[in-house]
Amino acid sequence: MSTDENELFSAVDALLEQVAQDELPAPAERRRLREAAGLSQDQIAKVLQARREAVGNWETGRTEPRPPKRAAYARLLEGLAARFPAPAPAPAPAPAPSSYNDDGSYKPPPIPTYEEHLAQQEAARTTPAVYIPPPQWPPAEEAPKAPAAAKTPSAGSTAKPSASSRRPGAKKAVAKPAPAQAAADPRFENGPLAVLDVEDGQVVAYCVGGLVLDVPAKTLPALVDWTLTEAKLGQARLHRSGRDADPMLVLTPAVLERYGLPTALTPQERNAGRLGDGHKVIKQVERAGLELTQRGFGPWTRIFRRPEDGSRYCVQLCIPAWGALPMNEWDDQKDPKLPTMAAADLARFLGSYADRVMTPRGTTATTGVALMEALRPPTRAEKDEESGAFKSALNADALTALYPVVECEVPDEHPVLKGKWPRHHQRTPDQMLMEEPLSWCRDLTDDECLKPYLVGIDINMAFAAATNSLVVGLGGPTHLTGNPAFDPKLPGSWLVDLSHVDLSRARVGGRTVDGTRLPSPFTPSGERPTGPAWYATPSVAYAVQLGFDVAPIEAYVRTETGRYLDPWYDRLRDAYLATMADLGVTPGMDDRAFLAAMAGAKDGDPAMALLLKAIKATAKGGIGKLRQRSRGQVPFYEPWPALERKTWRPDIRAAVLSTVRVIMHRKMMKTAAAADIYPVAVATDCIVYPSTGPSPLDLLPYTPDGKPVTGTFRLGVSPGMVKHEGTQTVLWAEEQFEKNAGLFNIARNIKNGGRTADDDGE
């Protein structure tokens, strides 16, 4: 064969290879061919020298094979298609009669004769399941217009751009399901975030919904510009007066190396929480005219450009290798999954969180408090009637300003307490508002020791549930002195003596309850108050509901009030229920089905399990962030950064925690009155009862018709209802008491005999 012929054949082979790269069967067909041949993904991955996960992504359409693997994969599929042809399609059903004439005018249905209508009615009487309505149709003036012709691609046809025509940064030809909210705002059609990884030497961005983008940027400043101009990432505002979420990029270790960043921080940098200011990448950013926030270049980095038009140009970087996604909030501590999670799966996990909660802003606690402001922005645009221009105005239902703090509500290190007491003075209840989660445990009675089991129940999303319809203060405090009358409608802090509240012989629904076997709802320890103390409004209101007189000594109240946390609760509730539904647990299940579904949820989708934990941590952390304490950033009595936030409101946090205790105590009272059972331990939102059996079904009270008694603890998935936390034996509890000299809370260790109730974000 001559040299010219060899060159021609080589050119033809190259052209055939190009065609093979551009034409691949649909992802579902790829999987069908493999399964028809009895091949596994591992076998194909081994032959093509690829990862098994990559083959799986090719079959789901998340990613597409790249040269030279693409040509080899196409050759394999072509051979399999020859051996295992697709089954013949089912014959198309006969088209329904058209309701339109050829000219597009509406064609009414044929009118039956009177005899035909009588026959239809007779048939309907003999067949009760069939209802034949009398003949009717829209009048001529209401006749619908003929539908416009729509172009629909034929089944299985997916147009693929050629490799030569795909520009850098363009979407890859992947069969991607459309993101749920992408169509709502074309500016963010590719989702709120992307996870960047390196594949076959090319930086690619895995977006929500399986979309994969080529990233042409060679430097970090170029990456920021590409994200702002071409990536179409971000999230639309959650409130009409809020602002859109910045696009978020998650950088994997391979991408860090590509852009000249370390894959791990030094001990000094970890302590500082940021990269050293002299790093070459930071200098790159500065030379490009970009800026960093005061947080610097750390696990959560914001890089922005100051535009002249007043628009916002900012990109958020999330760097898990530097600790951006701590294990106690985002991962499973016993079986960490994030370090080895594929980029596509990480994008699905964080994208689902962004879709259901919001684009992460840092830790779950930081995101939780940011969600409050995103749903209740402090300002709005208002049109000036005279000039016609828009100006900024305050929202009446939001936290809009920083107000003077109240001494009893702030933590010990607050600047307002400087010089009030000696440095290590321990403030007493009459000097400090001590509304904290309940932690209480008591000895078992002789009768309770005869029951073999201790069963723990846990309140779903207890902190979030307590915010539902909770009235909180929106403005500044008003100081009331001279023994003011208590007003349950005014949120705030009240100095009042509740030591006279005796629940030892309380009556609920006409039945007497032994209050000595219940914790006091007025102290975090569950012990009865001994004198005057500061309480949040819900605690004092509960004492009044129990029938006791209260005589406040003084108070700090807020006269501007509102249900500030209602949309925050609604958003987290919906996110929680949607994720539980993904794990197979839905509202409306009967109690046995619910317990079975909860047991099976542990083996559900790992990404959804992590998402559930993150949502719980967001709810709990967001409430805790309302009174964020100094973490050693500044000396004692010096202001720390959190105090500059409008959402630094310890009074709101106290009202939520007070409500949690009140709700729990009210249900414990109702349960004791209905079934004569009493808790032996409480830790935050976990309650432990002695039981004759190992299941909550063995202890919770039911009516004769099998329904839960009104006002008691109810099994279910909704926030405020309870689930099974764990079961241990009474002998186990006695052993733990002996080992720990009585300093042991059963409720904190009822799950797996040692895991605390707070480990799962509750």
Side-chain angles (χ1 to χ4, degrees):
M1 185 178 293
S2 65
T3 305
D4 292 340
E5 289 178 339
N6 285 331
E7 292 178 354
L8 290 174
F9 285 173
S10 297
V12 170
D13 289 341
L15 184 60
L16 290 174
E17 182 178 355
Q18 179 66 50
V19 173
Q21 290 181 9
D22 291 342
E23 294 182 359
L24 283 177
E29 177 66 7
R30 303 170 198 174
R31 179 176 179 178
R32 186 196 72 80
L33 290 172
R34 176 182 59 79
E35 293 178 345
L39 298 175
S40 67
Q41 292 180 349
D42 286 322
Q43 288 175 294
I44 294 180
K46 186 176 181 180
V47 169
L48 298 180
Q49 298 179 0
R51 295 181 297 113
R52 183 196 63 78
E53 293 81 1
V55 177
N57 289 336
W58 300 343
E59 293 183 355
T60 58
R62 288 183 177 178
T63 62
E64 288 288 292
R66 304 170 64 87
K69 297 182 179 65
R70 186 181 182 94
Y73 187 49
R75 189 181 186 92
L76 171 65
L77 295 176
E78 183 181 0
L80 294 177
R83 293 193 179 190
F84 307 98
S98 175
S99 296
Y100 299 89
N101 298 312
D102 294 338
D103 60 356
S105 60
Y106 180 72
K107 180 173 66 177
I111 304 176
T113 64
Y114 181 71
E115 292 76 10
E116 290 173 338
H117 181 59
L118 291 178
Q120 291 175 347
Q121 288 183 324
E122 181 63 26
R125 281 191 288 270
T126 58
T127 310
V130 179
Y131 169 67
I132 303 296
Q136 54 181 316
W137 50 87
E141 63 273 15
E142 296 181 7
K145 297 179 181 179
K151 296 181 180 180
T152 57
S154 59
S157 65
T158 56
K160 310 270 187 189
S162 65
S164 59
S165 67
R166 191 177 72 227
R167 60 181 175 82
K171 301 174 187 177
K172 286 188 180 179
V174 295
K176 76 175 183 80
Q181 296 182 349
D185 196 326
R187 297 173 302 160
F188 311 127
E189 66 175 0
N190 294 335
L193 55 88
V195 179
L196 270 57
D197 201 0
V198 177
E199 181 182 317
D200 297 331
Q202 167 71 39
V203 178
V204 294
Y206 290 85
C207 304
V208 178
L211 174 67
V212 183
L213 303 177
D214 282 331
V215 180
K218 304 300 182 184
T219 64
L220 192 68
L223 174 65
V224 173
D225 288 337
W226 172 82
T227 305
L228 293 173
T229 57
E230 296 185 47
K232 293 188 177 180
L233 294 174
Q235 188 177 39
R237 63 197 68 186
L238 299 179
H239 187 281
R240 61 180 298 179
S241 299
R243 70 183 186 190
D244 301 327
D246 298 324
M248 173 176 154
L249 301 179
V250 184
L251 307 185
T252 59
V255 172
L256 293 176
E257 292 182 348
R258 175 62 62 91
Y259 291 122
L261 292 166
T263 57
L265 298 178
T266 65
Q268 295 78 10
E269 291 170 339
R270 283 199 303 271
N271 291 335
R274 57 197 292 174
L275 203 61
D277 292 337
H279 195 277
K280 62 179 182 179
V281 174
I282 296 181
K283 294 181 179 179
Q284 257 184 12
V285 170
E286 294 172 348
R287 285 196 300 268
L290 300 169
E291 299 180 48
L292 298 171
T293 59
Q294 293 182 354
R295 183 184 296 178
F297 208 120
W300 291 91
T301 300
R302 288 185 177 274
I303 304 179
F304 65 95
R305 188 187 299 279
R306 296 183 185 272
E308 295 180 357
D309 60 357
S311 302
R312 182 176 178 85
Y313 292 93
C314 182
V315 174
Q316 180 178 224
L317 304 181
C318 169
I319 307 178
W322 294 3
L325 302 174
M327 192 177 301
N328 63 330
E329 298 179 2
W330 298 92
D331 207 350
D332 186 346
Q333 290 179 291
K334 289 190 174 182
D335 183 19
K337 296 178 176 60
L338 293 183
T340 58
M341 184 176 285
D345 293 331
L346 186 58
R348 172 174 169 253
F349 165 49
L350 294 176
S352 298
Y353 180 90
D355 179 54
R356 295 177 182 183
V357 182
M358 70 178 299
T359 301
R361 297 284 298 275
T363 64
T364 52
T366 299
T367 306
V369 77
L371 181 63
M372 297 178 190
E373 192 164 344
L375 294 168
R376 294 281 203 195
T379 59
R380 58 184 172 85
E382 185 178 72
K383 190 174 183 179
D384 190 306
E385 297 296 337
E386 296 181 358
S387 65
F390 283 91
K391 60 181 180 179
S392 179
L394 298 179
N395 273 326
D397 57 357
L399 302 178
T400 57
L402 294 174
Y403 296 100
V405 298
V406 177
E407 290 184 9
C408 69
E409 295 174 349
V410 300
D412 294 335
E413 65 271 24
H414 197 280
V416 76
L417 299 179
K418 187 175 183 178
K420 297 288 183 180
W421 291 286
R423 172 68 174 77
H424 297 289
H425 172 73
Q426 187 73 32
R427 287 193 287 170
T428 55
D430 62 333
Q431 299 170 343
M432 179 182 183
L433 179 65
M434 295 184 179
E435 297 284 14
E436 299 294 337
L438 185 60
S439 179
W440 168 84
C441 188
R442 66 171 175 83
D443 294 332
L444 278 69
T445 65
D446 292 341
D447 291 339
E448 291 170 342
C449 287
L450 297 177
K451 296 181 179 180
Y453 296 104
L454 295 174
V455 177
I457 54 176
D458 182 82
I459 301 177
N460 301 323
M461 298 276 285
F463 292 93
T467 66
N468 186 21
S469 302
L470 179 65
V471 177
V472 300
L474 302 178
T478 299
H479 191 194
L480 305 180
T481 58
N483 299 320
F486 174 69
D487 187 348
K489 297 181 180 179
L490 291 179
S493 303
W494 304 80
L495 180 62
V496 59
D497 188 353
L498 297 181
S499 59
H500 64 287
V501 177
D502 183 9
L503 299 177
S504 60
R505 300 295 294 171
R507 293 187 64 81
V508 178
R511 297 186 179 183
T512 302
V513 173
D514 183 4
T516 61
R517 289 197 279 171
L518 291 172
S520 169
F522 305 115
T523 62
S525 64
E527 302 296 329
R528 183 172 172 176
T530 58
W534 286 99
Y535 299 97
T537 298
S539 295
V540 185
Y542 186 50
V544 175
Q545 292 172 10
L546 292 173
F548 295 92
D549 294 329
V550 296
I553 301 169
E554 62 175 313
Y556 290 91
V557 298
R558 277 82 179 173
T559 55
E560 298 177 34
T561 65
R563 295 180 176 181
Y564 174 73
L565 294 171
D566 273 6
W568 184 81
Y569 165 75
D570 292 340
R571 181 82 174 175
L572 290 175
R573 176 204 59 202
D574 294 345
Y576 172 79
L577 291 177
T579 308
M580 290 299 296
D582 289 338
L583 292 170
V585 188
T586 58
M589 288 182 165
D590 63 64
D591 291 355
R592 294 186 183 277
F594 167 72
L595 292 175
M598 287 296 296
K602 300 176 182 178
D603 301 323
D605 186 343
M608 290 299 102
L610 295 185
L611 177 60
L612 181 68
K613 178 178 180 178
I615 293 171
K616 291 180 181 180
T618 303
K620 181 178 180 181
I623 296 300
K625 200 83 169 175
L626 294 173
R627 196 196 71 157
Q628 180 180 341
R629 304 189 64 171
S630 173
R631 294 172 296 193
Q633 308 107 306
V634 297
F636 224 72
Y637 299 132
E638 293 296 324
W640 58 95
L643 300 183
E644 300 175 3
R645 292 198 323 256
K646 299 179 182 66
T647 50
W648 195 85
R649 291 293 299 268
D651 58 302
I652 297 180
R653 172 187 177 272
V656 174
L657 297 185
S658 169
T659 303
V660 172
R661 290 206 320 270
V662 166
I663 292 175
M664 289 174 61
H665 192 271
R666 183 181 291 117
K667 291 187 176 182
M668 286 188 282
M669 293 267 285
K670 293 284 183 69
T671 302
D676 194 30
I677 58 173
Y678 297 85
V680 296
V682 180
T684 309
D685 51 9
C686 176
I687 308 101
V688 177
Y689 281 95
S691 175
T692 57
S695 169
L697 298 173
D698 298 316
L699 65 95
L700 295 179
Y702 292 86
T703 61
D705 57 354
K707 295 182 179 180
V709 175
T710 303
T712 63
F713 295 108
R714 298 183 61 180
L715 290 169
V717 69
S718 299
M721 302 178 80
V722 300
K723 62 178 182 294
H724 185 203
E725 179 69 5
T727 298
Q728 299 293 337
T729 65
V730 171
L731 293 178
W732 166 83
E734 294 297 337
E735 291 176 0
Q736 297 299 325
F737 280 132
E738 292 179 6
K739 290 180 182 179
N740 297 276
L743 302 176
F744 182 79
N745 191 328
I746 300 172
R748 291 196 179 279
N749 299 272
I750 194 70
K751 195 170 187 176
N752 299 328
R755 183 183 176 191
T756 64
D758 293 336
D759 284 348
D760 63 351
E762 291 283 7

